[in-house]
Amino acid sequence: MATIERAEVLICCPGRNFVTLRLTSSDGVTGLGDATLNGRELAVASYLRDHVAPLLIGRDPDRIEDTWQYLYKGAYWRRGPVTMTAVAAVDTALWDIKAKLAGMPLHQLLGGRSRDGVMVYPHASGQTVPELLDDVARLLDLGYQAIRAQAAVPGLTGSYGVKKNGRYEPADSARPEEQAWSSEAYLDFAPRYLEQVRQRFGFDFHLLHDVHHRLTPIQAARFGRSVEQLRLFWMEDPTPAEDQESFRLIRQHTCTPIAVGEALTSIWEVQHLITNRLIDYVRCTVVHAGGITHLRRIFDLADLYQVRSGCHGASDLSPVTQAAACQLGLAIPNFGIQEHMGYPPQTAEVFHSGVQLKDGCLDVDDSPGLGVEYDDQAAARFADFEPKYLPVARRLDGSVHDW
Ligand code: GCO
Ligand code: MG
């Protein structure tokens, strides 16, 4: 029997911070798992290094399900983003090893292709509406079939999802930047710019929008109703998902589809939303929801209720997650869409990935496993971790709002 011989936690900052777990088996096969949790990276690094890595040494890398159960049930303290990201890293690395040993790209082990490629949506954004419209035009020219549109709300400092100096990076300052928020100003403005997108570019592509947990349920209901004629692919995170019954209220008022789940980490947190048919797309990801093993379980449950996948894919999810999500998205029957935000240019120096973009879809090459290699020499050039935090949103009266 082969055993896990090494478990390395690799931290690098090629344009942004990434934490990666690399497992090496006694027969010399390596597997990678993403362990990046934006703004809390070192908590997961310590969880893995101090509490998980010592337990992995000597275990059989073949036993993926058993290792998952051992780390989840065995810890007693279960769920939550730190734990689930750590478990995900181990799980993904073990699937990488198994698929490499089989000599197959991972999707083959997951049942083989259900589709030719996974449709993605990139972000169009602008500090002004004309800037947003130019960005939508640019992305349509590049052949994307689906586009997320966000514009800065006039009069508010900082808006989530909008580029600064040509790039959007959610966590971009050494202390959380404080931004101003007004749901009233947003509700007045957002439907109007989304309408301008449809007026200018028509309906031949999917249009998405992220509300980013900002509205109350009744405001979200009003927003959803006010954009119905624009036929959004989805409105994302209309209200914070801790209050899951509130989605019933939104549903009573609008048929705009709803996507939720990027901040939810287990099947238990989406069970109510899925089984009560309160959402249309589930946005959990490989890295924050327990890896391939657990995410597949979530998507299987979702399939029973005609809920489709819509994996989170912001730049804080590494190319290892991107490849894993792509492999899973190729295989599952109820794939919906995949977020594709891209990375700073330096990231590709460290992560050599076989994932390719064609006609608005991602696909993988025939490399066995996930199809990603970690370049240690390049990583050494980006070795210094840079503490970076997501912003904090405050209402106009100074009180803290959901970010
Ligand atoms: C998205 C997201 C992100 C998150 C970020 C948090 O839909 O892409 O909402 O941009 O804010 O991933 O770390
Ligand atoms: Mg989002």
Side-chain angles (χ1 to χ4, degrees):
M1 172 189 99
T3 56
I4 300 172
E5 225 173 49
R6 278 181 91 184
E8 302 161 275
V9 178
L10 311 165
I11 300 176
C12 64
C13 188
R16 72 164 342 282
N17 294 314
F18 293 112
V19 180
T20 309
L21 177 71
R22 180 167 55 201
L23 300 180
T24 308
S25 74
S26 52
D27 37 34
V29 183
T30 58
L32 297 176
D34 181 17
T36 310
L37 183 62
N38 213 7
R40 294 293 184 271
E41 294 87 353
L42 300 182
V44 183
S46 160
Y47 192 114
L48 283 169
R49 195 183 283 137
D50 299 330
H51 301 291
V52 172
L55 312 182
L56 294 177
I57 307 305
R59 288 183 67 85
D60 180 353
D62 274 349
R63 299 192 179 196
I64 300 179
E65 181 66 43
D66 185 66
T67 301
W68 198 96
Q69 300 293 337
Y70 176 82
L71 293 176
Y72 182 85
K73 294 182 177 160
Y76 185 58
W77 311 110
R78 52 183 71 177
R79 304 191 286 121
V82 175
T83 299
M84 295 306 277
T85 302
V87 174
V90 176
D91 186 78
T92 310
L94 291 178
W95 276 107
D96 193 16
I97 290 178
K98 194 181 275 300
K100 280 183 182 171
L101 283 170
M104 297 174 178
L106 177 61
H107 64 271
Q108 292 288 7
L109 288 191
L110 301 175
R113 273 179 193 273
S114 289
R115 56 189 53 74
D116 300 333
V118 303
M119 179 175 67
V120 295
Y121 71 92
H123 296 187
S125 71
Q127 293 296 337
T128 61
V129 176
E131 230 176 86
L132 167 66
L133 296 176
D134 286 350
D135 214 23
V136 173
R138 177 182 67 84
L139 294 170
L140 286 173
D141 278 352
L142 290 172
Y144 287 103
Q145 303 168 34
I147 294 175
R148 179 183 108 162
Q150 312 286 144
V153 182
L156 301 182
T157 57
S159 283
Y160 65 90
V162 180
K163 290 188 190 68
K164 273 195 270 181
N165 313 319
R167 248 198 84 70
Y168 174 56
E169 179 52 64
D172 70 348
S173 55
R175 289 184 67 81
E177 186 197 322
E178 306 240 333
Q179 300 181 337
W181 179 253
S182 157
S183 294
E184 291 72 22
Y186 164 83
L187 277 168
D188 184 42
F189 177 63
R192 288 192 282 138
Y193 74 70
L194 292 170
E195 191 176 349
Q196 288 193 52
V197 173
R198 281 302 195 205
Q199 265 168 8
R200 170 83 77 88
F201 301 102
F203 285 79
D204 284 349
F205 66 101
H206 300 298
L207 180 60
L208 296 82
H209 179 71
D210 190 354
V211 184
H212 218 279
H213 327 264
R214 298 293 170 101
L215 300 177
T216 65
I218 197 71
Q219 288 172 333
R222 175 149 66 88
F223 175 81
R225 185 184 280 186
S226 70
V227 295
E228 264 167 25
Q229 74 286 4
L230 306 179
R231 303 204 296 271
L232 294 190
F233 188 89
W234 74 37
M235 63 170 171
E236 177 180 333
D237 289 326
T239 196
E242 288 97 320
D243 180 10
Q244 303 208 328
E245 262 309 289
S246 69
F247 286 84
R248 204 180 292 280
L249 184 147
I250 304 174
R251 277 283 206 233
Q252 281 162 1
H253 293 283
T254 180
C255 62
T256 294
I258 299 174
V260 172
E262 67 178 50
L264 303 179
T265 61
S266 78
I267 198 165
W268 305 107
E269 287 152 72
V270 291
Q271 181 187 21
H272 182 82
L273 293 173
I274 292 172
T275 59
N276 286 281
R277 303 177 189 277
L278 300 177
I279 59 173
D280 302 281
Y281 295 90
V282 59
R283 277 183 52 70
C284 299
T285 58
V286 173
V287 56
H288 300 138
I292 299 280
T293 298
H294 196 63
L295 191 59
R296 188 161 58 154
R297 205 153 275 156
I298 291 175
F299 290 154
D300 280 345
L301 173 70
D303 192 34
L304 298 181
Y305 295 87
Q306 303 195 52
V307 172
R308 293 183 165 264
S309 72
C311 288
H312 185 201
S315 54
D316 45 297
L317 288 70
S318 93
V320 176
T321 288
Q322 185 193 52
C326 193
Q327 299 277 1
L328 189 58
L330 285 172
I332 58 172
N334 54 330
F335 171 79
I337 200 165
Q338 167 69 47
E339 185 177 16
H340 175 57
M341 193 171 148
Y343 300 103
Q346 308 92 301
T347 302
E349 295 179 41
V350 176
F351 297 91
H352 302 245
S353 171
V355 172
Q356 290 146 13
L357 179 70
K358 196 173 162 247
D359 302 329
C361 292
L362 291 180
D363 198 3
V364 295
D365 61 17
D366 285 338
S367 317
L370 294 171
V372 184
E373 293 303 324
Y374 189 89
D375 184 329
D376 289 284
Q377 281 180 349
R381 298 200 297 276
F382 303 105
D384 293 332
F385 174 76
E386 294 175 14
K388 286 279 166 65
Y389 291 95
L390 291 165
V392 168
R394 288 190 185 274
R395 303 180 194 106
L396 298 184
D397 70 357
S399 56
V400 174
H401 194 66
D402 297 274
W403 195 79

